[in-house]
Amino acid sequence: MLRVLGRRTSVNVQKVMWLAAELDLEIERVDIGGPFGGNDDPDYLSKNPNGLVPTLEDGDFILWESHSILRYISEKYGRSPWSPEDETGRALASQWMDWYLTKLHPHMTVIFWQLIRTAPEDRDVDAVNAAVEQAGQLWALLDNQLDGSDYVNGPAPTIADIPVGCSVSRWYAMDVERPSLPNLEAWHQRLQERPAYQDHVMMPLT
Ligand SMILES: N[C@@H](CCC(=O)N[C@@H](CS)C(=O)NCC(=O)O)C(=O)O
């Protein structure tokens, strides 16, 4: 059975659990990181030297980095539509996953840490405003991609939807000034109707 080491409130753990649920995979999750700790223990560090979550165990095979885990699960256990069938579909999925990580995630991290993990009196308001502005422009780029398309890469969801799909839940849950982006909002609404997304992504931010 697959085992995921990592607390359910971690956005990176959520990516893996959401995909596993969409694929009906049997998977065990162990609470590690955040208030549970354990990620600095030698045993954990021998599996993931970064001391971060998630870590995937598939028998003796160990893998970290949430997007690598998504690609691995989708290649080994995935099926259409979540796992794109041809190389162009897989390449486009990778493109949006890497785009999220390199472009949007840094701004979303600033907003999340400042608004959710920092006391109001200690917040860097300028940093929040700058990150919200940048994130808004990048969400607009995705809104454009979603014009006429139900999901990121076409009419059905693929792993391309997972990282941005986890992040968009936070974008709409945080108290920020967002541009009106109808395609993004409709896609977010579509995701919220999926039981796997409800179970593994939609939860209070801590
Ligand atoms: N690039 C890594 C980032 C992993 C990461 O930053 N995980 C955070 C949680 S989202 C973490 O482990 N924080 C420490 C903790 O939870 O104790 C990935 O995508 O898996």
Side-chain angles (χ1 to χ4, degrees):
M1 194 206 292
L2 293 170
R3 222 159 78 107
V4 170
L5 311 179
R7 59 189 167 87
R8 71 192 295 268
T9 51
S10 151
V11 72
N12 292 305
V13 172
Q14 289 172 5
K15 294 172 190 171
V16 177
M17 296 306 294
W18 175 20
L19 178 62
E22 293 284 3
L23 297 176
D24 284 328
L25 299 181
E26 248 189 273
I27 193 162
E28 180 195 354
R29 191 188 53 74
V30 182
D31 275 327
I32 287 185
F36 303 99
N39 44 328
D40 289 332
D41 293 354
D43 178 53
Y44 187 81
L45 291 172
S46 72
K47 295 173 184 167
N48 183 340
N50 304 291
L52 298 172
V53 297
T55 299
L56 177 78
E57 294 179 339
D58 186 4
D60 291 337
F61 178 62
I62 293 174
L63 187 65
W64 38 265
E65 279 301 328
S66 60
H67 292 195
S68 298
I69 297 171
L70 292 179
R71 290 185 183 100
Y72 172 75
I73 289 181
S74 112
E75 288 208 6
K76 184 162 180 193
Y77 300 103
R79 51 174 191 275
S80 186
W82 287 94
S83 177
E85 272 168 11
D86 57 16
E87 61 275 11
T88 53
R90 286 193 292 276
L92 286 171
S94 252
Q95 168 191 280
W96 284 105
M97 292 162 73
D98 291 348
W99 172 80
Y100 171 73
L101 207 53
T102 56
K103 300 291 285 182
L104 190 45
H105 183 65
H107 303 300
M108 291 300 293
T109 300
V110 169
I111 303 166
F112 176 79
W113 272 86
Q114 286 291 324
L115 296 188
I116 307 298
R117 298 263 175 91
T118 306
E121 62 275 17
D122 295 330
R123 282 182 195 149
D124 181 342
V125 176
D126 290 343
V128 175
N129 290 342
V132 168
E133 168 73 24
Q134 293 291 317
Q137 289 176 19
L138 291 162
W139 285 120
L141 190 154
L142 185 60
D143 180 77
N144 196 43
Q145 168 72 7
L146 288 163
D147 191 13
S149 183
D150 277 0
Y151 294 94
V152 172
N153 270 339
T158 70
I159 53 171
D161 291 87
I162 301 255
V164 278
C166 290
S167 187
V168 83
S169 177
R170 295 181 165 201
W171 177 241
Y172 283 108
M174 293 189 289
D175 186 15
V176 295
E177 241 181 76
R178 294 174 288 267
S180 165
L181 298 171
N183 303 316
L184 192 79
E185 281 157 33
W187 167 72
H188 181 220
Q189 185 57 45
R190 237 168 260 130
L191 296 181
Q192 289 178 89
E193 287 158 15
R194 306 188 73 87
Y197 188 82
Q198 291 165 10
D199 289 349
H200 297 287
V201 181
M202 293 167 64
M203 62 185 78
L205 300 182
T206 57

